C-alpha cells in the first residue's frame, strides 16, 4: 500500500497495546491468518485485507470471532451479544467518553456520526481513553493531509 497506509500503521502501533485490556492485539502482518479469517467471516465480510492496520481479539478462546479490526479508513467491531458495527473515521463528528468510572475499561465511548447516528462501546476489553485518542487522530487524518498538501501547493 502507499505512504499513508504506513503512516496510519505507525499511528496504530502507538495506540493498539494501550487500547487492549486482557486481550491479544496485532499489527498488520503479525495477525494470525486463522484469527483474521474468523473475524472477517464473523463481522467484517467486506474488509479489504490489504488495508488492515491492526486487530484486537477480545475473545476468551482467542479465536478472533469478536474484537476490532482497524483499517486505513474504518473500524469494524463486534462485542459479545451485540451486532457487528462498522464506521468510517471521517464520518465521526464527535467522540466522547461517558461514565466516570475510575477504571478506564469500565467507561463507555460514544461516537456521534455526521448523520446523527450514535455508536457506543462498552467492552471491558477496551480502554476508552487511548481508543478516543486514536480515533481523534484518524478522523482528522485525511483532512489534515489535504490541508498540508494545499498549503504546499499554494506556496
Amino acid at each position: 500500500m502507499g505512504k499513508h497506509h504506513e503512516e496510519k500503521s505507525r499511528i496504530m502501533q502507538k495506540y493498539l497495546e494501550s487500547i487492549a485490556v486482557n486481550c491479544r492485539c496485532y499489527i498488520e502482518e503479525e495477525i494470525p491468518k486463522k484469527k483474521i479469517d474468523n473475524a472477517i467471516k464473523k463481522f467484517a465480510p467486506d474488509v479489504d485485507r490489504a488495508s488492515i492496520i491492526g486487530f484486537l481479539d477480545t475473545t476468551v478462546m482467542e479465536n478472533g470471532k469478536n474484537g476490532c479490526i482497524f483499517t486505513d479508513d474504518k473500524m469494524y467491531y463486534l462485542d459479545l451479544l451485540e451486532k457487528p458495527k462498522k464506521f468510517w473515521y471521517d464520518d465521526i463528528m464527535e467522540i466522547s467518553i461517558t461514565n466516570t468510572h475510575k477504571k478506564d475499561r469500565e467507561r463507555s465511548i460514544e461516537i456521534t456520526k455526521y448523520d446523527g447516528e450514535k455508536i457506543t462501546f462498552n467492552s471491558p476489553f477496551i480502554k476508552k481513553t487511548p481508543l478516543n485518542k486514536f480515533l481523534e487522530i484518524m478522523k482528522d487524518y485525511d483532512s489534515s493531509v489535504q490541508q498540508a498538501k494545499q498549503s504546499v501547493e499554494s506556496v
Side-chain angles (χ1 to χ4, degrees):
M1 300 223 57
K3 173 185 172 188
H4 296 294
H5 177 81
E6 292 171 12
E7 289 175 8
K8 290 176 179 182
S9 182
R10 281 194 287 279
I11 295 167
M12 180 86 272
Q13 286 176 335
K14 180 178 178 183
Y15 287 98
L16 190 59
E17 283 190 27
S18 60
I19 292 170
V21 176
N22 299 327
C23 63
R24 301 287 302 188
C25 57
Y26 306 93
I27 298 292
E28 291 183 299
E29 59 277 341
E30 297 173 2
I31 304 170
K33 183 178 179 343
K34 184 170 180 157
K35 286 186 184 203
I36 199 64
D37 287 347
N38 285 341
I40 289 169
K41 184 177 180 182
K42 186 82 175 189
F43 64 94
D46 62 340
V47 72
D48 172 7
R49 287 175 185 260
S51 72
I52 296 173
I53 58 174
F55 175 60
L56 278 179
D57 179 1
T58 61
T59 60
V60 174
M61 302 299 288
E62 295 186 7
N63 62 19
K65 293 182 178 179
N66 289 330
C68 302
I69 297 175
F70 300 93
T71 74
D72 289 340
D73 59 355
K74 62 183 150 292
M75 180 178 161
Y76 296 82
Y77 174 80
L78 179 63
D79 201 7
L80 193 61
L81 304 176
E82 289 189 16
K83 291 181 179 180
K85 297 176 178 113
K86 168 181 77 173
F87 60 88
W88 282 257
Y89 304 130
D90 61 0
D91 281 345
I92 299 171
M93 182 175 71
E94 183 179 15
I95 307 166
S96 58
I97 295 176
T98 58
N99 302 342
T100 55
H101 295 285
K102 288 184 180 181
K103 291 183 180 178
D104 195 21
R105 68 184 192 173
E106 294 175 2
R107 297 176 185 158
S108 296
I109 192 165
E110 186 174 89
I111 296 167
T112 305
K113 294 170 43 177
Y114 284 105
D115 66 4
E117 179 185 357
K118 293 189 185 285
I119 299 171
T120 303
F121 295 98
N122 297 307
S123 175
F125 298 107
I126 298 172
K127 288 185 186 170
K128 308 322 181 284
T129 301
L131 177 60
N132 183 25
K133 289 177 184 176
F134 171 77
L135 292 173
E136 284 287 347
I137 291 168
M138 296 304 281
K139 83 178 184 72
D140 296 329
Y141 181 88
D142 289 327
S143 61
S144 298
V145 168
Q146 190 64 26
Q147 286 174 353
K149 184 178 177 183
Q150 287 173 351
S151 294
V152 169
E153 289 173 354
S154 66
V155 172

